[in-house]
Structures are given as structure tokens and as C-alpha cells.
Amino acid sequence: VKKVWSVRRFVVLLCAPLALVPVLLSLPPKEGRCLYVILLMALYWCTEALPLAVTALLPIVLFPFLGILPSNKVCPQYFLDTNFLFLSGLIMASAIEEWNLHRRIALRVLMLVGVQPARLILGMMLTTSFLSMWLSNTASTAMMLPIANAILKSLFGEKDTSKDMNRENEENQASLQQNKLYTVPTEMQFLASTEDKDLTEEKEVASDAVSDLKKEEEYKTNIWKGFLISIPYAASIGGTATLTGTAPNLILLGQLKSYFPECDVVNFGSWFMFAFPLMLIFLLLGWLWISILYGGINLRGWRTKKSNIRVDAEARAREVIKEDYQKLGPTKFAEQAIFFLFCMFAIMLFSRDPKFIPGWASFFAPGFISDAVTGIAIVIVLFFFPSQKPSFKWWFDLKAPNTETQPLLTWRKAQETVPWNIILLLGGGFAMAKGCEESGLSVWIGGRLHPLEGVPPPVAVILITIVIALFTEFASNTATIIIFLPVLAELAIRLKVNPLYLMIPGTIGCSYAFMLPVSTPPNSIAFSSGHLMVKDMARTGLLMNLMGVLLLSLAMNTWAKSIFQLGTFPAWANIHAENATSLLTAVENVTLSAL
């Protein structure tokens, strides 16, 4: 299999550049060359013929060679202030993971919500989504799945034993028929009647016991699936709530600054005000859907009395959670310090410029303080703040040992845990957007969108979200939004609507990939546990996708309008539209003269 995949990768690497040559010949020179690079990168991203981060480096080589952009304009795109905002979030997440603060938060939440399956699923989803707002979706899923597995094993025992139990039941039934005797399976002996009952009663009890055992086994399997499938879904939903939660959000911010430099309505605070309520609503509806589908909530049996098996299992699960929490020991000084700095990180980002009131950045020169400045300022403290409670007596005790104090986070640890490839991937997206703008390709694309000018904007939002949500089921979220955002910006100009009205749904729609294991890394991690099938994700994810599309459309047409001023065509977009019109006229003149 590896050899076949290596051959296919080699074929894609060699054939893709040749297959795209007609693109160079069918468009104006500069636009054609830029489109050639973008299609080549999109093909490499979708097929993963090269690592995603390596593909993101292609503009550094191809843009200067093809005369699209000089290198002194391409290279700075890889370290914009948006990249540093994302880097600050990754370093903060690294410090949280270093001192197990995320695990303490997760176990504490689970202790509060209770151990009934529906409540546990809700606790898992709330915890995972909260962590995913600050950590990566993949890290949140990877941390929560072992906790879920431990709880499930305490509730139901080892999942693999189900086959053995079924096999044992079949053997019991065969022996009963041969010997014309009726006994009860060992798992359900507590249901058996006393030995002095007659044979007819024993038959009835045996039949009821086998039926109950099958129901219990089916219930166990469904709950197990519900637990495992809820975690990656919650991670994907939670990542949309903050700008630093997932890469597509930051790509939107970076490309807005590239296409519309005067646009200042999207920052950490305004995004949080819009996306956090959307996340909560979607999370609640997703929990209801998963709980109903997999038996966590039984609509027919709210008043049904629990069996002794379930009562004992829930007690064991409660003990497992409590025991894991106790293993963490008392709260350390380092955890308290990390939690304080984490709160400062979130509060300062939110209050910098919340739009509805003046933020603390208004005390400084306008345009000098960005979210990146705020994030990096807090993160720097992690590298010198002590991880152990300092003793003021040390300063006055001349005999005290001069030992070095470990900081909350060392640079070596940050190097090992921060996914630097994502920084390059973001940079590749920003470089691609800059190439589209400078070459005039985005204007050329806008000129080909005439058939869509008659589409009502609310319908356009729904169609865009559906298309992108389907596309991202098979391609990387980051690659998807890098490809689609320039098109959405030009489409908004054509429709004469606020560009954010189309670009924000496209960005969030990239995170709504629920139907396939390959859609996102969290889905793949959950699927690799071996307890889920593709059809489980497909039937659960289909309704999740539909709910996401409808909720996103609702949000964009209600509270998002007041937050981002979506009801008017803004001046910063109007300037871009005027420039685009003049460039489009020039492009058409060049094309006609060439003909």
C-alpha cells in the first residue's frame, strides 16, 4: 500500500504542473500565471502529494520566477501580525498542557455534570469545546478521548468483551436446546428465580434475561459510539468561537487586511461576541441530536427505573473520575499562575477594542496596538515567571542556596510542542491572497461572476456554506478557505453586499466537517479508536451539517448584522470596488488588444 501511494504521489507531483499548462495560455499573462500557481497548490493540498506546509512555501519560489510578485513582497506574508496572534495562542496552549491544567479543568467539569450518560456526553462536549477555543482541535480531542475511554470502561467494562458475551449466549442456547434444559446466562443471574420454582417459570425468566441482555448490550454499544463521536464534533464547533481557535479564522483576518486594509471591524472581541453564542446554540442542539440518536436520552422512557447494572456502573464511573482528579494532587502554584495569565490573555484580547465601548487600546496611538501585541505581551511572561512560589526570605538570607528556578514554560518545550507547520500554512494562504490581489486575478474572477449577481444575499449565504462544508469534507480546512476567500470577496463586491456577509459564513463553514473520518484530524482520531464506523459518522454528521448551515444563516441575518454592520455596503469595501473596476477595465483592454 505504501509503495502504491508513493507512486501515486510521484505521478501527481510530475503530472500536475504539465496538466495545468493550458491555464497559462487561456488567460491574460499575469493572471494566468497566478491562477496556475493557485491551482497547482490546491491540487497538492487536496492530494497531499507534498506536506501541507511544504506546499505553502511554493509562492516563495514560483511567484518571483513567474513574475507575479518580487520576493520582498512574498516573504513578509509569512510573518504578518496575524501569524503572531496565532503563535501567542499556540504558546499559551503549550503552557496549559505542560502543567496539566486542561486535564484538571476537564475532570472538574465532569464531576459537576454527573455520570448519567446524557449528562456525561454534555460534560464531554462542553469541556472539549471550551478547550478547543484555546488549544488546537486536535490536541483537545487527543486529550479528551482517553478520559472518555476510562469512563466508558468503568460504565460498561471492556468494549471488546461484547463479542465474547454474544458468543457465550449462543453456546448457552445451543446447549439448552440439546439437553432440553433452560438456564440463565451468568451475566444476568441476579434476575433468576429461586431453585424451587417450576420449569415454566425458569423458561420465562431465561427468555426475559436474554432479551434484557441484548437490550443492555445494544444500549452499551450506542452510548459508547455517542461518547466517542461527540468529542471531535465539539472540538470542531468550539474552535469557531475565538479567532485563535482554528486556522481558518485567522486566515480570514489576514486576508481582510490584505484585500481591505481599512476594515477594522473584525478583532478578537467582535468575533467572540458573534461566534460564542452561535457555538453555544449549536453545541446544545448537537448534544440533543447525539443523545437522542445514541440512547443517552430516551424519549419514551423518562420515568423508567434504572436497572441495578446501570446504577452500579454509574457509581463506578463516578469513582473513576474522582480518582483521576485526586491523582492530579492539590493545585500547584504553576497551575494557578497559568490560569491567571490565561484569564489575562482572554480578557485583554476581548477588551482591546470591543467596538460597543472604547477599549484599553484607545489610550494609545490609533493603529499601533493589535491583537498580536496583546497576545505576545502575555506570552512573554510565561518564559520568566517562576513555576514555584517565590520566597521573599531568600533575598535576605545570605546562606540560602542560589538555585535556578524553572519558569512556567521553557523555550525548548515551546519548540517541541508548538506546531510550526501551521504558521507556514497560514503564511502560504496570505501569500496566495497577495498574489491574487497584485496580479489582478481576483478582479478577473470577479468579472466572471455575472450570473450570480441576481442571487439574493441570504440565499447566497446558505449556498456558500453548503458548498464549502461539502468541499471541506474531502480537503483540508485551511486549504479550503485559502482557495475560496478571494472568490467570496469578489462575489460580495458584485452583489454589492458587505464582504463579511459572505466571507464569515465561508470561514465558519470550513469547520463544519462532520460526515467523514478524513474530514478533520479530530474525526480521524475518534475513528481510529475502532468503535465507530463510517456510516455512524455519515448519519450523525449529515444532520449536524444541516443544523450548522441553518444556524449560521440565522446568526448572519440577526445578531451578526449589528456587530459587523452588515446592513450597509461599507466605505472600505467601496474603495476596493472602485479600484477593482478600474483594474478590470484595464485587463479587458489588454485582452482585446492582444486579440
Side-chain angles (χ1 to χ4, degrees):
V1 175
K2 290 183 179 179
K3 289 183 179 179
V4 172
W5 172 239
S6 299
V7 171
R8 289 180 179 175
R9 179 180 296 177
F10 187 71
V11 169
V12 171
L13 285 172
L14 290 182
C15 295
L18 298 176
L20 294 173
V21 168
V23 175
L24 292 170
L25 306 176
S26 60
L27 295 178
K30 204 168 185 180
E31 292 87 339
R33 291 194 293 269
C34 185
L35 183 60
Y36 174 82
V37 175
I38 290 175
L39 291 178
L40 183 65
M41 292 176 67
L43 188 59
Y44 283 172
W45 269 329
C46 292
T47 60
E48 295 190 23
L50 286 174
L52 297 180
V54 176
T55 301
L57 295 175
L58 288 180
I60 297 177
V61 179
L62 296 180
F63 279 1
F65 270 125
L66 296 176
I68 300 169
L69 274 180
S71 62
N72 62 354
K73 286 189 176 181
V74 179
C75 294
Q77 303 303 315
Y78 287 80
F79 283 97
L80 298 175
D81 63 341
T82 306
N83 298 70
F84 283 96
L85 172 61
F86 192 48
L87 179 61
S88 67
L90 294 175
I91 293 176
M92 177 60 72
S94 196
I96 291 172
E97 293 177 20
E98 170 70 6
W99 294 100
N100 264 335
L101 179 61
H102 58 320
R103 188 174 181 84
R104 185 179 293 277
I105 293 172
L107 292 172
R108 189 65 185 170
V109 171
L110 293 177
M111 289 173 66
L112 292 174
V113 297
V115 293
Q116 289 82 6
R119 290 188 181 182
L120 274 177
I121 291 175
L122 177 61
M124 287 285 177
M125 294 184 74
L126 287 174
T127 308
T128 306
S129 60
F130 174 76
L131 294 175
S132 186
M133 290 165 58
W134 314 102
L135 312 181
S136 71
N137 297 354
T138 306
S140 303
T141 304
M143 189 218 64
M144 291 301 295
L145 277 176
I147 297 176
N149 277 320
I151 295 172
L152 287 168
K153 287 176 182 176
S154 65
L155 279 170
F156 304 120
E158 293 287 344
K159 180 70 175 63
D160 294 337
T161 59
S162 60
K163 294 181 180 178
D164 296 334
M165 293 171 67
N166 289 334
R167 189 182 302 113
E168 183 182 351
N169 291 338
E170 293 175 0
E171 292 174 356
N172 287 339
Q173 291 298 322
S175 62
L176 292 179
Q177 292 176 0
Q178 288 178 2
N179 300 322
K180 296 184 178 181
L181 296 175
Y182 293 85
T183 59
V184 185
T186 55
E187 293 82 356
M188 306 297 294
Q189 283 181 355
F190 66 92
L191 294 174
S193 56
T194 55
E195 295 179 358
D196 56 342
K197 292 189 176 181
D198 58 13
L199 189 59
T200 304
E201 292 178 349
E202 289 183 8
K203 289 181 182 180
E204 293 175 356
V205 172
S207 177
D208 292 341
V210 172
S211 177
D212 290 345
L213 183 60
K214 288 181 179 179
K215 289 180 181 178
E216 197 71 24
E217 197 62 31
E218 184 180 354
Y219 172 81
K220 164 184 169 180
T221 302
N222 285 335
I223 293 295
W224 200 292
K225 289 180 178 180
F227 263 72
L228 296 181
I229 210 168
S230 67
I231 292 173
Y233 288 2
S236 296
I237 296 169
T240 64
T242 61
L243 270 180
T244 57
T246 186
N249 299 353
L250 287 165
I251 291 172
L252 168 68
L253 182 62
Q255 294 206 12
L256 278 175
K257 291 180 178 179
S258 177
Y259 282 109
F260 311 105
E262 301 299 320
C263 175
D264 63 345
V265 296
V266 177
N267 58 37
F268 190 93
S270 61
W271 182 272
F272 186 82
M273 289 173 59
F274 157 70
F276 186 70
L278 175 62
M279 181 208 78
L280 287 180
I281 296 171
F282 194 10
L283 204 66
L284 178 61
L285 292 178
W287 166 69
L288 287 173
W289 166 235
I290 292 171
S291 297
I292 292 171
L293 183 63
Y294 291 102
I297 295 178
N298 187 357
L299 297 178
R300 298 179 180 179
W302 279 100
R303 299 181 180 180
T304 304
K305 187 178 179 180
K306 294 181 188 176
S307 66
N308 292 334
I309 292 178
R310 294 186 189 179
V311 172
D312 293 341
E314 289 174 5
R316 289 196 302 270
R318 191 181 294 107
E319 288 300 319
V320 167
I321 297 172
K322 188 176 179 180
E323 183 180 349
D324 284 351
Y325 186 80
Q326 289 175 346
K327 285 180 182 178
L328 295 174
T331 306
K332 304 178 184 67
F333 173 78
E335 293 179 70
Q336 296 173 348
I338 291 287
F339 184 73
F340 174 77
L341 291 174
F342 167 71
C343 292
M344 288 294 297
F345 178 83
I347 292 170
M348 290 187 69
L349 282 174
F350 180 79
S351 61
R352 181 187 68 84
D353 186 18
K355 298 301 179 185
F356 59 93
I357 57 171
W360 59 264
S362 60
F363 295 107
F364 300 88
F368 276 67
I369 306 295
S370 67
D371 286 336
V373 176
T374 309
I376 294 295
I378 297 295
V379 158
I380 288 174
V381 179
L382 296 171
F383 292 98
F384 67 81
F385 199 88
S387 59
Q388 296 179 355
K389 190 174 183 179
S391 174
F392 292 101
K393 294 180 180 179
W394 181 86
W395 296 95
F396 305 102
D397 187 0
L398 299 178
K399 297 181 180 180
N402 189 17
T403 56
E404 184 179 358
T405 304
Q406 183 184 4
L408 292 172
L409 186 66
T410 62
W411 182 247
R412 181 183 295 275
K413 186 66 179 178
Q415 278 184 309
E416 293 173 354
T417 55
V418 170
W420 300 99
N421 59 321
I422 304 297
I423 304 294
L424 295 178
L425 197 57
L426 287 177
F430 299 149
M432 183 186 287
K434 192 69 174 177
C436 288
E437 181 187 2
E438 294 287 333
S439 68
L441 177 63
S442 59
V443 178
W444 181 87
I445 292 172
R448 300 298 180 274
L449 297 176
H450 292 294
L452 299 177
E453 291 183 6
V455 178
V459 176
V461 168
I462 294 177
L463 292 177
I464 287 166
T465 311
I466 290 174
V467 170
I468 291 180
L470 290 176
F471 191 88
T472 196
E473 295 286 350
F474 306 95
S476 160
N477 297 357
T478 307
T480 300
I481 199 61
I482 289 172
I483 295 167
F484 275 95
L485 272 183
V487 179
L488 297 180
E490 292 302 327
L491 178 59
I493 299 296
R494 287 285 166 183
L495 295 176
K496 286 295 180 180
V497 298
N498 191 318
L500 295 176
Y501 190 68
L502 302 185
M503 297 174 78
I504 289 177
T507 302
I508 295 183
C510 276
S511 297
Y512 291 168
F514 304 113
M515 291 180 62
L516 296 175
V518 297
S519 301
T520 63
N523 287 9
S524 301
I525 293 173
F527 185 77
S528 66
S529 65
H531 303 310
L532 293 172
M533 294 185 289
V534 174
K535 67 177 183 180
D536 296 324
M537 283 195 162
R539 69 169 181 164
T540 312
L542 178 60
L543 188 60
M544 292 289 291
N545 278 3
L546 291 176
M547 282 194 295
V549 169
L550 296 176
L551 286 174
L552 188 52
S553 177
L554 174 66
M556 293 305 300
N557 290 288
T558 51
W559 67 86
K561 281 195 171 183
S562 59
I563 296 173
F564 299 117
Q565 295 93 44
L566 299 180
T568 59
F569 192 70
W572 48 264
N574 203 29
I575 295 172
H576 179 83
E578 292 172 358
N579 295 336
T581 303
S582 61
L583 280 173
L584 182 59
T585 304
V587 169
E588 288 175 348
N589 292 336
V590 170
T591 306
L592 289 173
S593 62
L595 293 174

